[in-house]
Structures are given as C-alpha cells and as structure tokens.
C-alpha cells in the first residue's frame, strides 16, 4: 500500500496551518492566508535501529522513531524530531505494556518488520513510511507520507503531523463527543474542550477530547489513539479523498495502533490501555431528576413527594449551583437549605439520593475557607508572569485550582468531607473545560504543574476537567471508604472513564437535538466513554409533551438516564406535560427499572472486559458496507436493540434488524433479522427488540433501587433455534468488594431446537446473591412443553398472578431441559 512516489505530492501540498481551522467542521476551501509559510520537515530514510527489550528505535540520522510493542495487538509509535524523546508520561494510559508478549524483528531489503502474534508493523527503509497489518501481513493502515513536523514559531516546540492513506471505501468512527454523523469521513474535527451552550449540529469542538478513532476498510477495523493533550486536529479524507491526517499544535507525535479486525475488539483494546468504567452504584443507573435548580428545600421535598405519590420510580434528585452560599463550592445556602443534613436524610429514607454540583472556580474571598486554604498553599493556577489566573464565573471573581498538581488533587478530594458527612451521595463537576465568562477559558500562558511535567495551558487545557473529576473521585473513594462514588463530568479527556460518567452538556429541546443525542451517545460509547447521557428533554428551550416523552424513551436506553433543564425553562418533571404524557413516561421509567439487572450486567461487561455499552449497527455488522452508514438503530449490550423515534407525529419507522431473530418487546412478535422492517410507533411504544435466544433478567417495578428484596429473580428466555450466551451479574450494589471477586456473574447457555430447549448454567465470582431461586419464563416456544427436567428431576411449571406459566429453579441449577 505504501507508495513512495506519493511523497512529492505531499511536499507541495498547501497544508493550512492550524489557526485557519477555527471555523470548525464546516470548514470548506481554506482561504489562502497571507502568513509566512514554514517548511515542513519529513523523516527521510532509515539509517539504523537499536532494540531495548520490547522497544525499537529507528533513526534517519537525526530524528528518532520509537516503536513500542504494548501487547500482541497494540503498537505505539513516537517521533523525536531532534532525536530526544519527551518524558514518557500520559494521563490517559492506565496500564503498562505487557511484558510477556511475543515479538520479533524481521529485516528484508526494503523493510524492517516488528511482528507479534497478531500484528505486523512495517518500517519502510527508503522513506520511513510506517504501516500496520495482520500477522499474515495484510496491511490495514499505512502512512501516506513520512511523519513530519514544523517548527512552532509561536511558542516553541513543533507542530507534529501524521498523514495516512485513506482507502476509497474507508469509514471512520470515534473521536468522543462530536455532534455530527457517526461516520466521520469527509470531516475535519479538532479537540479543544469548550463550553458550548446551545450547540448546533456539526458544531465543533464541544466539551470533550478523545483523540481516538476507528477506521474500517474492506470489513476490517483498526484504531488509532493519538495521545496528545494539546489542541489536536483530525482530517478524515476531507481535504484529500485519499488521506487521513492528524496533527497537533505541540507536544509529541505519539500514537497507538490498535489492531482489530473486529471493531468491538478495537474498542476493548483501547480500554485495555486507558481503563474501563468502575462499577457504578446500582442507584447511579436508575432514573435521575435534575434541574437548574431545585430550591429551596420545600421545592426539593415537593418534587420527591410527587414522585412517590404518582408512583414514578426515581433514585436521585440533583441540586444545581443555587444550593451553595453565593456559589461558593462546598458550602450551603442556609436560607434555602437551613438543615441540609436533615433534608438529605429524609430524602434518603424515602429512597432518594442527593447529588450536588461542584465547579472549579473558587471565589476570591479571604473569609472563605476554601479560598484561604488554596491561597495559603499556593494551589491556584498562575499566569506566565506569576500573577494569579483570575476570571469571572458564577461566584464572581474566581481563582482556579491547578488539578494537574497531585497535591492539589489530594486537597480537593478532602474538601468534599463536609458534604459527604451531610449525606450527599453523588457529585457533578461542571464548567471544567475550564469555562470562564467572557473570555471562554484560561489564557494560553497559564502554567500547570502537570504532575511534574510542567507546561502551559496549551498542554493542560484538555485534561483540566479530567484531573478535576479524578481528584473528586479519588477523594470520594477515601471519604466513602468502601462505597462507590458517583460522579459526572462535563469536560473529559481519553481515560476519564476511570473516574466518572459524562453528560453531553447544554443541548436544546428540539427534535434535531434528540437525534444528535443518539449520535453523541453511540459515538461516546465506541470512544471509551460508555457511561454517558444527554439532558433528557433538552437543556435550553421548551419541549412539548411529545418530544419530552420520545426523549424519555431514548433515555431508557441511555447508559446515564437523567432529565435536566436550564434555569429559565418551565417545569420538566415527568408529570409536567399532562396525564397522557405522564402515563407514557411512567411506563418507560418503569421499563428502565425492569431492565436494571440486565443494564447492570452490561455495565459489568464494560468494567471487566471493556465492551462498549451502546453499539452502533456498524459495530455489530462491519462487514456489510451499507451497515457502516446506519445511525438510528443501536444495541444496548449484547441482546437489546432499539431505534428511537426521532420525529414528531411519526406513526411508523423503518428499522434494520441485524442477523438473527428479534422479538418486538411490547408484544413478543418475532421478526427475522438481516433486513429492514416497518415498525409501528404509537406514542406509548418505541422500536425495542430482544435478541432471540437471549435470557434477560427482570426486576419487578420498584420506586427506587433496593426498595424490595428480590427473593426470586425473573428470567425471560426468548426462544430461538440457536445457541446463545447470556450473563446476569450481581454484587453488593454499592461497594468495591467486586474487586476482590465478591460478585456473581451467572452465565447461561441456551440451546433451542424446534422440539426442545436446554439451558445450562455456569458462574464466576464468590458472591452469594440475594435471590435464592429463578422464575424462568419461556417466550415464543414453538412447542407446548410437556416434560421439564432440572438436573435430572422432573418439575412442574407454575402459574403467576396473571396466569402466565413459569418454571421455578434453584439459583444453582446446572441444566434445565424443556421438551
Ligand atoms: O453556566 O450550573 O451544563 O447543566 O445546569 C451554566 C448551571 C452552568 C452548565 C451546565 C448545566 C448547569 C448549569 N451550568
């Protein structure tokens, strides 16, 4: 694939310097700006190499390239233009290279090849082009030009560039939070965390930076993670149909090639280096009600009472900035909340957790303990000339902790103690792009400690929010002792999943934004941020009952399910739009609660194995070209597939179902996969399907998680003449004991035939579940069962209060056969 004749083309190409890309993704032909052009420098021919265990260094005489074997499937490349590498430090990476990997170096006349059991990395001798492929040397990703750089006259260092071939059929996914189509081909995007109130379709950048993409060509997928915290840019065959480039305003050209060829494996392997989500507390995946802001106390109590009176399940109520005293973090407004401890305790007794907001801006006020401590200890960020970085945010004049300093993070973690003692169960970190009124964010000259690798805000901007929520999470972990914290952040960098869930910021109450939300969450999920949600109903503007309700339906299948809205909007509780809409919202929130044991098991798959929670059709069927373009259908975990309704008045919609058989959830009608179907979409239903062969655990409807003890866990088996694996996970629900194997992951292998079904059970983990039996419901059997054998003994089915038959099984059964 690498073609040496192409190099001249690149050298003459007009490559816009990054500044003129400020117009974002809708960038069309660049105006030719009258700016001095600086010659780019390219790697030349390989002159030699050296090896140090799993690291290879290649040189062209001056520049050096490091090729590091991270694992059988992952290879990292770094460029040092002058032969000196920067310190090997990353906030994104959580795991060290695997030292047990098998690899070797092969040399031919034209190439060096670094080979593992899965990947071949080719380094072409005459031009230093680097490419990657399978062990069988099928190339998947190849340089279009040698890695290059350009002296950065503005602030020293280099702009660094990597240009790769883009294949004719290639499509691109990932990049975290981009409000655009799933396939990024033809797009130019950049990463610079930004507070983007009321953002529009295609607006870029937004709040988060995840410089990781997945390419799929000829049905094979690979990933590239460009671990660089400076402002980064990606061009996916936009400027040139046959090239994909990524570059940065500073830092090192350092990227990971992540082998597939299955897209889901690329995502899992990306997680293997950047970490997965920790298990959320069970209540964290229930339904959450938020707004800007619920106050005073009476209002909060009224909302809670309404939920319980109307029997609409809810696990958490949020307090936005107005709970604070003059927007001072870690304080209470005693006029609105005279006795917060009592209020929180009363809410807790009624099954509500309280979540509160914390911002990074600390009010400049010598009477305020947080400011005093920060000032005394020199914890606030300073400008290049040593003056403090000051800016206006909600509290007025503020200074900002340098979360890139480990000592500051430690301190920040302790500040939560008071609120934790008051009973607050979760924390929401906002404005951490960082956002500053008027000027947007910090000026570039602000200095950061960067865990000892000092740098300006250019380097630290994109990880500021991540380090804030990291400080929050790590502090809470100590304060709650063995209890799991619950955190949400708006800004993020790759790896933030280790510390928090995320939401997509200030969206708008429009149908278009409902659609954008479905794209954002699918994209976040394949970019390593599976625990994500939108402001259900839209943050700004006013939804009508129909939009609110359709969004709630999508919300059931959002990993994080929270209604939220701006301060100047009308009421947004599930009952705010009248009884007709309330009934449907209630039905769907109840559906979330029924599905909780399934959803929780999917979170376990994410935590333990790195599986993305939401899976676009492209990820399920990457070998079918047409499916790479589908955006509306997606899977939630292994077995559920949905296609949210995205238009007002929509009576039906065409839904593509992947291979297999699928049960329409609301009436158990069976549809054959690998084709499109027209599905009716009455207001109180949505296209929601269960995979034939699956076993889906179900809870009874509760008003909040843990309200009732489950004696017998319901399992719904959806027949298929096939074999299918299902997992049902449980643990304490709120402790870290799962890290010591105190959990139980039940594994069911169901095998269907036209005249019989058998289900075998296996398990992993040491936890004794609360339930002692299973109630197994058999859906869609093509025969009438006459003989049920459990571990060699014949049993009779039972009838429930609705007259439906089920089989009760000991939770430790080994095998059941139904004929
Ligand atoms: O300047 O705290 O995105 O969820 O309600 C606005 C008030 C600050 C922005 C967040 C939004 C939150 C709001 N915040």
């Amino acid at each position: 694939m690498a073609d040496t004749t192409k190099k001249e083309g690149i050298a003459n190409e007009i490559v816009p310097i990054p500044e003129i890309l400020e117009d974002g993704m809708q960038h069309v032909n660049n105006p030719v700006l009258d700016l001095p052009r600086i010659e780019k420098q390219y790697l030349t021919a390989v002159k030699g190499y050296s090896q140090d265990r799993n690291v290879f260094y290649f040189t062209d005489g001056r520049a050096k390239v490091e090729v590091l074997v991270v694992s059988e499937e992952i290879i990292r490349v770094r460029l040092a233009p002058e032969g000196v590498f920067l310190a090997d430090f990353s906030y994104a990476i959580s795991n060290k290279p695997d030292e047990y990997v098998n690899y070797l170096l092969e040399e031919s006349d034209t190439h060096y090849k670094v080979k593992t059991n899965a990947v071949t990395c080719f380094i072409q001798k005459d031009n230093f082009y680097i490419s990657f492929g399978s062990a069988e040397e099928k190339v998947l990703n190849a340089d279009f030009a040698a890695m290059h750089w350009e002296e950065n006259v503005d602030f020293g260092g280099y702009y660094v560039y990597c240009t790769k071939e883009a294949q004719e059929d290639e499509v691109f996914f990932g990049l975290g939070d981009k409000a655009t189509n799933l396939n990024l081909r033809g797009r130019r995007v950049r990463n610079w965390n930004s507070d983007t109130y009321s953002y529009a379709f295609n607006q870029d950048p937004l709040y988060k930076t995840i410089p990781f993409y997945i390419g799929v060509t000829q049905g094979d997928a690979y990933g590239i993670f460009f671990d660089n915290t400076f402002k980064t840019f990606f061009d996916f065959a936009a400027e040139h149909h046959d090239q994909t480039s990524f570059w940065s305003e500073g830092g090192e050209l350092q990227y990971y090639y992540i082998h597939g060829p299955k897209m889901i494996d690329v995502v899992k392997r990306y997680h293997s280096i950047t970490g997965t989500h920790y298990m959320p507390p069970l209540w964290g995946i229930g339904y959450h009600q938020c707004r800007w802001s619920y106050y005073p106390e009476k209002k909060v109590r009224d909302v809670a009472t309404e939920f319980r009176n109307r029997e609409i399940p809810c696990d958490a109520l949020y307090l936005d900035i107005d709970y604070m005293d003059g927007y001072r973090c870690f304080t209470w407004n005693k006029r609105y909340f005279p006795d917060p401890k009592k209020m929180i305790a009363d809410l807790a007794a009624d099954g509500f957790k309280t979540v509160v907001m914390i911002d990074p801006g600390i009010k400049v006020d010598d009477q305020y303990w947080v400011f005093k401590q920060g000032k005394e200890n020199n914890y606030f960020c300073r400008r290049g000339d040593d003056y403090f970085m000051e800016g206006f945010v909600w509290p007025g004049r503020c200074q900002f902790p340098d979360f890139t300093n480990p000592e500051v993070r430690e301190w920040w973690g302790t500040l939560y103690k008071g609120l934790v003692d008051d009973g607050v169960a979760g924390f929401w970190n906002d404005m951490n792009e960082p956002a500053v009124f008027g000027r947007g964010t910090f000026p570039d000259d602000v200095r950061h400690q960067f865990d000892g690798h000092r740098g300006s805000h250019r380097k630290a901007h994109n990880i500021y929010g991540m380090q804030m929520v990291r400080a929050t999470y790590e502090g809470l972990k100590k304060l709650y002792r063995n209890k799991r914290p619950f955190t949400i952040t708006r800004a993020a960098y790759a790896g933030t999943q280790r510390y928090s869930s995320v939401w997509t910021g200030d969206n708008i109450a429009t149908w278009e934004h409902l659609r954008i939300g479905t794209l954002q969450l699918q994209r976040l999920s394949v970019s390593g941020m599976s625990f994500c949600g939108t402001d259900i109903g839209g943050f700004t503007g006013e939804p009508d009952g129909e939009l609110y309700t359709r969004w709630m339906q999508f919300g059931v299948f959002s990993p994080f399910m929270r209604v939220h809205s701006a301060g100047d909007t009308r009421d947004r509780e599930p009952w705010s739009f009248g009884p007709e809409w309330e009934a449907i919202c209630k039905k769907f929130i109840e559906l979330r609660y029924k599905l909780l044991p399934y959803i929780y098991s999917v979170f376990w798959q994410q935590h333990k194995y790195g599986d993305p929670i939401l899976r676009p059709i492209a990820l399920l069927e990457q070998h079918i070209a047409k499916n790479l373009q589908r955006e509306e259908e997606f899977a939630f975990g292994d077995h559920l597939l949905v296609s949210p309704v995205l238009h007002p008045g929509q009576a039906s919609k065409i839904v593509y179902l992947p291979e297999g058989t699928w049960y329409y959830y609301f009436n158990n009608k069976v549809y054959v996969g690998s084709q499109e179907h027209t599905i009716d979409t009455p207001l109180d239903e949505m296209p929601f399907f269960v995979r034939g062969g699956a076993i889906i655990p179900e809870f009874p409807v509760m008003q909040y998680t843990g309200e009732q003890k489950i004696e017998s866990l319901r399992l719904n088996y959806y027949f298929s003449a096939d074999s299918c694996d299902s997992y049902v996970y449980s643990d304490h629900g709120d402790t870290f004991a799962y890290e010591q194997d105190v959990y139980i992951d039940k594994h069911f292998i169901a095998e269907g035939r036209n005249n019989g079904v058998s289900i075998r059970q296996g398990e992993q983990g040491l936890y004794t579940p609360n339930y002692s039996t299973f109630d197994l419901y058999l859906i869609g059997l093509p025969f009438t069962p006459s003989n049920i054998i459990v571990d060699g003994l014949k049993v009779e089915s039972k009838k429930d209060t609705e007259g439906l038959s089920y089989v009760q099984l000991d939770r430790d059964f080994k095998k059941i056969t139904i004929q």
Side-chain angles (χ1 to χ4, degrees):
M1 274 173 145
D3 174 359
T4 50
T5 59
K6 286 180 186 158
K7 197 178 159 191
E8 275 71 44
I10 262 286
N12 298 331
E13 167 211 345
I14 301 193
V15 181
I17 69 160
E19 272 67 19
I20 63 177
L21 301 174
E22 297 289 320
D23 57 348
M25 279 199 281
Q26 275 156 338
H27 166 99
V28 261
N29 299 325
N30 286 306
V32 178
L33 295 188
D34 195 13
L35 289 170
R37 288 191 43 78
I38 301 159
E39 280 305 306
K40 286 212 172 73
Q41 301 185 59
Y42 290 76
L43 288 169
T44 57
V46 184
K47 296 258 164 57
Y49 80 94
S50 62
Q51 180 179 359
D52 178 12
R53 301 198 306 164
N54 62 336
V55 194
F56 299 88
Y57 296 98
F58 299 89
T59 178
D60 67 359
R62 181 169 167 213
K64 266 193 194 162
V65 171
E66 181 198 273
V67 174
L68 166 72
V69 179
V70 177
S71 69
E72 297 286 355
E73 300 88 5
I74 303 175
I75 294 201
R76 186 182 76 177
V77 173
R78 296 209 283 161
L79 167 71
E82 304 292 340
V84 181
F85 291 97
L86 301 182
D88 194 0
F89 172 77
S90 165
Y91 283 117
I93 300 296
S94 61
N95 291 320
K96 291 212 160 46
D98 178 358
E99 49 186 295
Y100 300 108
V101 73
N102 285 314
Y103 60 90
L104 56 103
L105 184 81
E106 270 179 21
E107 186 176 351
S108 72
D109 289 348
T110 54
H111 289 85
Y112 294 102
K113 294 178 201 168
V114 177
K115 300 193 71 135
T116 72
N117 291 327
V119 181
T120 307
C121 170
F122 307 84
I123 299 100
Q124 193 171 328
K125 290 179 175 176
D126 63 348
N127 61 9
F128 231 126
Y129 286 18
I130 297 176
S131 48
F132 300 91
S134 62
E136 299 74 36
E137 307 198 355
K138 179 181 175 197
V139 175
L140 282 172
N141 176 270
D143 275 354
F144 184 92
M147 291 192 283
H148 43 295
W149 61 95
E150 176 183 309
E151 218 171 287
N152 186 331
V153 286
D154 294 332
F155 53 95
Y158 303 96
Y159 293 107
V160 290
Y161 301 82
C162 189
T163 302
K164 304 210 157 263
E165 291 182 9
Q167 307 306 318
E168 275 310 314
D169 73 321
E170 194 163 359
V171 294
F172 301 95
F173 299 96
L175 258 302
D177 199 7
K178 302 292 175 196
T180 190
N181 298 91
L182 285 188
N183 175 8
L184 292 165
R185 191 181 179 100
R187 303 278 176 194
R188 216 163 222 242
V189 298
R190 72 198 155 119
N191 296 309
W192 185 252
N193 293 354
S194 305
D195 178 4
T196 45
Y197 172 85
S198 281
Y199 52 91
F201 183 64
N202 270 350
Q203 187 174 326
D204 180 58
L206 302 181
Y207 305 87
K208 300 172 186 69
T209 293
I210 305 181
F212 162 61
Y213 73 87
I214 302 168
V216 186
T217 171
Q218 306 287 319
D220 289 336
Y222 65 88
I224 296 284
F225 172 41
F226 179 26
D227 189 8
N228 181 306
T229 61
F230 285 77
K231 190 182 279 180
T232 47
F233 301 81
F234 289 77
D235 179 308
F236 296 101
E239 207 66 39
H240 300 278
H241 70 94
D242 54 353
Q243 299 169 34
T244 288
S245 298
F246 49 91
W247 65 99
S248 172
E249 287 195 345
E252 195 167 63
L253 180 48
Q254 164 177 152
Y255 71 89
Y256 293 79
Y257 167 81
I258 305 172
H259 198 62
K262 281 165 71 190
M263 206 169 145
I264 193 162
D265 290 330
V266 175
V267 178
K268 285 159 83 104
R269 287 168 188 156
Y270 168 78
H271 276 294
S272 78
I273 52 175
T274 60
T276 61
H277 285 281
Y278 64 95
M279 278 305 282
L282 187 57
W283 66 266
I285 57 171
Y287 172 76
H288 293 190
Q289 181 71 38
C290 184
R291 82 162 285 132
W292 179 11
S293 298
Y294 287 131
Y295 72 88
E297 175 176 332
K298 176 163 187 322
K299 176 71 193 175
V300 183
R301 288 180 182 273
D302 287 350
V303 171
T305 307
E306 285 296 314
F307 270 103
R308 295 300 179 241
N309 286 347
R310 293 169 189 269
E311 297 184 3
I312 299 175
C314 180
D315 260 281
L317 297 177
Y318 283 58
L319 304 180
D320 203 324
I321 43 177
D322 301 283
Y323 81 90
M324 302 177 201
D325 171 20
Y327 305 116
R328 287 172 190 81
C329 289
F330 311 106
T331 67
W332 287 98
N333 178 318
K334 287 289 167 105
R335 195 156 57 89
Y336 297 151
F337 297 96
D339 190 353
K341 210 169 182 161
K342 170 96 173 43
M343 177 188 78
I344 293 171
D346 290 347
L347 289 173
D350 208 4
F352 291 97
K353 301 287 191 286
T354 303
V355 179
V356 307
M357 171 172 278
I358 290 291
D359 284 343
I362 298 300
K363 188 178 178 68
V364 175
D365 169 1
D366 283 318
Q367 308 305 311
Y368 168 38
W369 58 282
V370 179
F371 179 73
K372 279 199 294 194
Q373 289 180 14
K375 186 176 169 182
E376 272 162 33
N377 294 295
N378 205 11
Y379 288 158
F380 295 119
C381 293
R382 291 172 185 258
R383 306 284 303 266
D385 56 6
D386 229 26
Y387 283 99
F388 285 105
M389 158 59 210
E390 293 203 338
F392 282 79
V393 216
W394 290 105
R397 201 177 130 210
C398 284
Q399 294 188 8
F400 302 83
D402 181 9
F403 297 110
T404 71
N405 180 342
E407 213 183 300
V408 175
R409 288 199 297 271
E410 183 77 33
W411 166 69
W412 186 259
T414 65
L415 299 177
Y416 289 90
K417 178 157 195 315
L419 292 171
V420 168
D421 289 346
D422 290 335
V424 176
F427 292 89
W428 172 24
N429 284 169
D430 186 24
M431 304 291 274
N432 51 357
E433 291 68 34
V436 179
F437 292 161
R439 62 159 48 127
T441 189
F442 294 1
D444 288 338
D445 71 339
V446 168
R447 300 201 238 144
H448 295 272
Q449 204 261 7
F450 218 92
D451 281 70
H453 306 277
R454 293 185 170 282
S456 75
H457 196 63
R458 290 177 194 269
K459 180 161 85 168
H461 177 83
N462 284 335
I463 47 84
Y464 188 84
M466 175 194 192
Q467 295 311 304
M468 176 187 183
V469 76
R470 173 187 177 182
T472 301
Y473 173 76
E474 288 174 346
L476 292 174
K477 212 174 158 178
K478 288 180 199 150
L479 292 167
Y480 291 126
R481 292 162 199 278
N482 191 33
K483 287 260 192 289
R484 299 173 206 166
F486 177 76
T487 45
I488 323 168
T489 178
R490 195 170 69 174
Y493 182 72
T496 303
Q497 67 270 13
R498 303 196 297 274
Y499 313 115
S500 188
S501 65
V502 297
W503 93 105
T504 57
D506 299 342
N507 59 3
I508 313 175
T510 60
W511 289 92
E512 185 193 33
H513 255 273
L514 169 55
R515 183 174 81 90
I516 296 172
T518 64
L519 300 173
Q520 287 177 293
L521 300 196
Q522 290 182 72
R523 192 195 315 284
L524 279 164
S525 203
V526 300
S527 305
M529 297 291 315
S530 270
F531 196 4
C532 55
T534 63
D535 283 352
I536 295 172
F539 181 71
T540 69
E542 300 292 349
D544 61 10
E546 185 182 1
L547 174 58
Y548 181 86
T549 302
R550 290 301 197 189
W551 210 317
M552 191 71 88
Q553 293 173 348
F554 165 50
V556 174
F557 302 96
S558 299
F560 172 50
M561 185 185 186
R562 182 186 72 159
V563 165
H564 181 44
S565 55
D568 55 356
T569 57
R570 292 197 287 271
D571 288 352
R572 286 289 179 84
E573 291 78 41
W575 52 87
S576 304
F577 298 86
E580 180 199 349
W581 303 113
E582 176 183 344
I584 305 172
C585 288
K586 176 173 155 126
K587 168 176 164 179
F588 275 84
I589 296 171
E590 288 177 348
L591 174 59
R592 173 86 176 192
Y593 280 75
K594 287 189 195 172
L595 294 173
L596 273 181
Y598 173 81
I599 295 173
Y600 197 53
S601 303
V602 174
F603 269 84
W604 175 251
Q605 302 277 311
Q606 155 54 214
H607 167 73
K608 177 94 171 173
Y609 306 106
D611 294 275
I613 292 180
L614 300 189
R615 306 176 191 171
I617 293 292
L619 186 135
L620 302 177
E621 295 187 338
Q622 67 190 53
H623 53 285
I624 301 171
K626 194 171 177 202
N627 287 346
L628 297 173
Q629 309 294 343
R630 295 188 190 274
E631 304 195 309
E632 296 197 5
E633 303 85 353
F634 58 87
F636 188 111
D638 290 335
H639 295 326
L640 304 185
L641 188 112
V642 292
S643 183
V645 177
L646 305 177
H647 301 283
Q650 189 164 10
S652 69
K653 106 173 255 193
I654 294 172
V655 177
Y656 172 80
L657 295 173
E659 199 181 350
T661 54
W662 296 88
Y663 286 77
Y664 181 69
Y665 179 83
F666 299 100
N667 64 11
N668 291 332
K669 187 173 163 201
V670 178
Y671 291 82
V672 178
S674 298
Q675 56 183 285
E676 291 177 345
H677 294 274
T678 302
I679 306 297
D680 288 342
T681 53
L683 290 166
D684 63 345
E685 291 182 15
M686 71 180 286
F688 166 29
F689 299 85
V690 182
R691 181 189 299 281
I695 290 179
I696 308 292
E698 186 181 301
F699 277 170
V701 172
M702 299 187 204
Q703 297 308 299
Y704 53 92
T705 54
E707 185 196 24
Q708 298 161 32
K709 189 165 179 264
I710 309 286
E711 309 278 350
S712 197
L713 179 64
R714 177 174 179 148
L715 299 176
N716 295 323
Y717 168 66
Y718 292 83
F719 174 83
S720 122
D722 236 327
S723 156
C724 185
D725 295 293
S726 302
Y727 296 87
V728 176
Y729 174 87
S730 35
D731 65 10
H732 290 144
D734 61 355
T735 74
F736 280 100
Y738 67 83
E739 290 180 345
Q740 269 71 53
D741 294 338
V742 183
Y743 65 82
I744 191 89
D745 193 18
K746 298 275 195 180
H747 177 194
F748 301 104
I749 306 155
E751 271 166 283
R753 278 164 285 110
N754 284 330
N755 57 356
V757 172
S758 78
I759 300 171
R760 279 173 296 133
Q761 182 181 213
E763 64 183 38
Q764 233 184 57
L766 307 172
Y767 178 64
T768 308
N770 286 332
Y771 57 83
S772 44
T773 50
F774 292 118
D775 292 346
L776 176 68
Y777 286 72
L778 304 158
I779 298 163
L781 287 192
F783 58 91
T784 312
S786 54
N787 204 6
I788 305 172
I789 313 280
V790 181
D791 294 335
L793 296 176
K794 192 171 155 71
V795 300
E796 297 298 326
S797 63
K798 300 184 175 184
K799 286 243 186 303
D800 70 10
T801 49
E802 287 166 42
L804 296 172
S805 315
Y806 66 99
V807 186
Q808 195 158 66
L809 299 164
D810 187 272
R811 68 170 181 231
D812 296 322
F813 81 92
K814 295 274 177 298
K815 184 175 179 185
I816 172 170
T817 334
I818 301 138
Q819 272 157 346

